[in-house]
Amino acid sequence: MKIRNILVSQPKPADISKSPYGELSNKFNLNIDFQKFITIEGVSAQEFRMNKNSFNGHSAVILTSRHAVDHFFRIAKELRKEIPDSLKYFCISESTAYYLQKYVQYRKRKIFFGKQNFRDLLEVLKKHSEETFMVPSSDVPNQAMFKLLDKEKINYSQGIIYRTVPSDLSGLDIKKYDLLIFFSPGGINSLLTNFPDYEQGDQLIAAFGPATNKTVKEAGLTVNIMAPTQASPSMAMAIDSVITEREKERRRRRRK
């Protein structure tokens, strides 16, 4: 099956022409649509307290996404908790670190970041083992991340500050796409919630990260494209590689 129509389970970039997907579309003449599969809802201050979460006793915070950043500062404001200038910020990537400028004076804070994935950040965390970390997360946390923290004996506590709920996809023709791209377990849960009779058939599924990959398989579906890998650290690169190989194979067959 030739890949022509792709659905990305994320909001459309502000300027798709400058995104990796815009480059993919132009390179292979693809139709790429974007659809938000999950909606983020903040946990209330009352629910945060009821779950016995607390800002107290932490010298650092681990932020794995912009959602985590936004809801960390939101819940602190709702709790009227003043965040000390001495708090250290450990971010999954440089872009997430720079996003902190929305809330703090960047140059006046102690901010650290990894390259792009949590294993990179873990190497930074290990150099600061004396810290007591808070890890703001969703109600469907990245279990692999917490297993790594436990393995390295990082002193942390989890704080659930937001939840993911399925978006309404009732107007979406899911079967018109050759390839579906997912970036979180919540996206797969949304697919199955909105389309309870979904059957993969010839449709390809791309999964980003081990947690998403695991959820796809647990749903009885097949992962056809996996990222990140050493050869393809981004999803766009992984798709580019697969389509390129398919095109080469198609040309080889025509020559025979």
Side-chain angles (χ1 to χ4, degrees):
M1 183 183 69
K2 200 166 186 179
I3 299 174
R4 286 297 184 200
N5 298 298
I6 297 176
L7 179 63
V8 183
S9 61
Q10 286 185 332
K12 186 176 181 178
D15 187 352
I16 190 172
S17 65
K18 295 181 180 179
S19 79
Y21 295 105
E23 295 175 11
L24 271 178
S25 178
N26 293 331
K27 183 176 180 179
F28 297 108
N29 191 28
L30 304 172
N31 171 53
I32 303 180
D33 292 336
F34 296 82
Q35 176 67 54
K36 191 177 179 181
F37 268 53
I38 59 174
T39 300
I40 304 297
E41 293 182 351
V43 168
S44 69
Q46 181 181 9
E47 187 175 349
F48 183 82
R49 290 195 194 96
M50 286 176 62
N51 289 334
K52 297 181 180 179
N53 295 312
S54 175
F55 278 77
N56 298 328
H58 299 98
S59 59
V61 59
I62 298 173
L63 299 166
T64 57
S65 69
R66 292 188 176 190
H67 290 309
V69 173
D70 286 335
H71 287 284
F72 173 74
F73 286 98
R74 173 195 61 80
I75 199 76
K77 185 177 180 180
E78 289 182 12
L79 291 167
R80 298 179 182 177
K81 176 68 177 177
E82 185 176 346
I83 298 175
D85 294 346
S86 61
L87 187 73
K88 296 178 182 178
Y89 300 87
F90 291 80
C91 302
I92 191 78
S93 65
E94 187 175 11
S95 62
T96 304
Y98 280 136
Y99 188 68
L100 282 170
Q101 293 178 102
K102 183 177 177 181
Y103 299 98
V104 300
Q105 290 181 288
Y106 190 85
R107 297 186 182 279
K108 293 187 177 182
R109 299 293 184 272
K110 293 182 178 179
I111 299 172
F112 310 85
F113 52 84
K115 294 178 181 178
Q116 191 58 47
N117 59 56
F118 191 75
R119 286 187 179 275
D120 294 331
L121 179 59
L122 189 63
E123 294 305 310
V124 181
L125 296 174
K126 285 158 63 175
K127 296 176 183 177
H128 297 266
S129 58
E130 75 282 359
E131 305 294 344
T132 302
F133 296 91
M134 177 183 179
V135 188
S137 72
S138 75
D139 60 327
V140 186
N142 183 340
Q143 296 296 346
M145 175 182 73
F146 289 110
K147 286 180 180 178
L148 287 172
L149 289 172
D150 291 337
K151 181 180 178 181
E152 297 299 335
K153 295 181 171 54
I154 302 295
N155 186 10
Y156 76 92
S157 61
Q158 179 190 359
I160 296 175
I161 57 172
Y162 62 95
R163 62 172 62 88
T164 58
V165 297
S167 299
D168 181 4
L169 306 177
S170 56
L172 181 66
D173 181 5
I174 196 71
K175 296 306 292 184
K176 84 173 194 177
Y177 297 99
D178 307 311
L179 170 63
L180 306 179
I181 304 176
F182 296 96
F183 294 86
S184 70
I188 301 299
N189 294 334
S190 178
L191 171 71
L192 300 178
T193 298
N194 280 277
F195 307 100
D197 299 323
Y198 174 78
E199 292 183 4
Q200 184 173 357
D202 292 332
Q203 203 166 45
L204 304 179
I205 290 179
F208 190 88
T212 310
N213 182 55
K214 181 182 177 184
T215 305
V216 172
K217 292 177 178 178
E218 287 176 345
L221 304 173
T222 301
V223 176
N224 306 101
I225 302 174
M226 180 67 185
T229 65
Q230 189 170 1
S232 301
S234 73
M235 180 57 77
M237 290 176 68
I239 294 168
D240 188 318
S241 177
V242 168
I243 295 179
T244 298
E245 281 302 312
R246 284 174 171 240
E247 293 291 342
K248 288 179 180 177
E249 180 61 28
R250 200 169 285 114
R251 287 194 292 269
R252 282 195 293 266
R253 288 176 180 175
R254 282 201 297 262
R255 286 196 295 265
K256 290 181 179 179

